[in-house]
Amino acid sequence: MSFTGFPVAALDFYEDLEDDNSKTFWAAHKHVYDESVKAPMEALVAAVEKEFGPAKLFRPYRDVRFAKDKTPYKTHQGAWFGESSVYVQLGADGLFVAAGYWQSETPQVERLRRAVADDVAGPALERAISEVTKKGMTIGGQRLTRVPSAYPKDHPRGDLLRHKTLTASKSFGSPEWLQTKRAQTEIVKAWRALTPLVTWLDTHVGRA
């Protein structure tokens, strides 16, 4: 199956699922999920695999064992490309793309902070962030409320030192092209725009 876009039925499915997140609804509409969400996402993944590597499609079921919210189903479908650190998601609110490091082990966090504080790597990160934000991306990630104690509170890159993880993303909503093959072009274009940030992270933080 070649990728031809995400049909309106996919967005409608998630809007309805937000209103009725029950096993009864899921059982009655699983065919819509399979045909309008899962199949197009699998086709997209296959279409871009050569450039971005294999992807993990996340399961539609929530892990509710330790959650206060016991609704059983996720209200979006995501795919994560581990080799290139890019992500795509479809939900009731439309298309969302992102890239970066969502989860970091302690050694990675330490390397991130050292690089941010470095007189060469730090300004390089600022340039990378400037480049991606000029293309409409939003910087995100887990952050501390204060600059880590090992660094001066008035450090010129104090805001970046607060990051434990670092990502960038863009929400597209549901433009008309989402239903067409152009969606693949726009997703790939966004991922390529995020390359400066991913390259900096790969160079100075590393994935392990």
Side-chain angles (χ1 to χ4, degrees), residues 9 13-14 17 22-39 42 60-61 73:
F13 169 80
Y14 279 118
L17 183 62
S22 67
K23 292 182 179 180
T24 300
F25 174 86
W26 183 265
H29 297 84
K30 187 175 183 298
H31 67 284
V32 181
Y33 168 79
D34 289 337
E35 296 169 6
S36 299
V37 178
K38 185 178 180 182
E42 288 177 336
Y61 313 104
Y73 304 103

Side-chain angles (χ1 to χ4, degrees), residues 99-183:
Y101 286 18
W102 277 264
Q103 295 179 326
S104 295
E105 302 295 331
T106 298
Q108 290 175 296
V109 176
E110 292 173 352
R111 291 195 294 269
L112 171 62
R113 290 173 180 163
R114 286 199 301 269
V116 169
D118 185 83
D119 290 339
V120 176
L125 174 59
E126 290 179 314
R127 290 193 295 272
I129 288 175
S130 176
E131 197 171 338
V132 301
T133 54
K134 284 179 181 177
K135 295 178 180 178
M137 308 299 173
T138 300
I139 299 300
Q142 294 178 315
R143 301 200 308 169
L144 301 174
T145 56
R146 299 182 180 85
V147 175
S149 59
Y151 299 91
K153 293 181 180 179
D154 60 350
H155 193 284
R157 288 179 293 281
D159 190 55
L160 290 173
L161 282 169
R162 291 165 52 200
H163 278 267
K164 297 179 66 177
T165 61
L166 188 57
T167 63
S169 63
K170 184 174 183 177
S171 296
F172 285 92
S174 53
E176 290 186 4
W177 52 254
L178 187 60
Q179 305 169 47
T180 71
K181 187 174 175 59
R182 181 182 163 189

Side-chain angles (χ1 to χ4, degrees), residues 15-99:
E15 286 183 359
D16 292 339
L17 183 62
E18 287 184 350
D19 291 335
D20 184 4
N21 197 315
S22 67
K23 292 182 179 180
T24 300
F25 174 86
W26 183 265
H29 297 84
K30 187 175 183 298
H31 67 284
V32 181
Y33 168 79
D34 289 337
E35 296 169 6
S36 299
V37 178
K38 185 178 180 182
M41 188 66 80
E42 288 177 336
L44 173 66
V45 164
V48 301
E49 184 175 24
K50 185 175 181 180
E51 180 173 353
F52 296 97
K56 171 187 176 182
L57 264 68
F58 291 98
R59 288 163 49 85
Y61 313 104
R62 297 183 63 248
D63 183 353
V64 299
R65 290 174 296 174
F66 307 106
K68 292 182 179 179
D69 179 2
K70 298 298 182 181
T71 51
Y73 304 103
K74 297 176 182 176
T75 54
H76 60 263
Q77 175 64 59
W80 164 247
F81 296 74
E83 289 184 6
S84 48
S85 297
V86 297
Y87 176 77
V88 60
Q89 176 180 296
L90 186 74
D93 53 356
L95 179 70
F96 172 83
V97 299

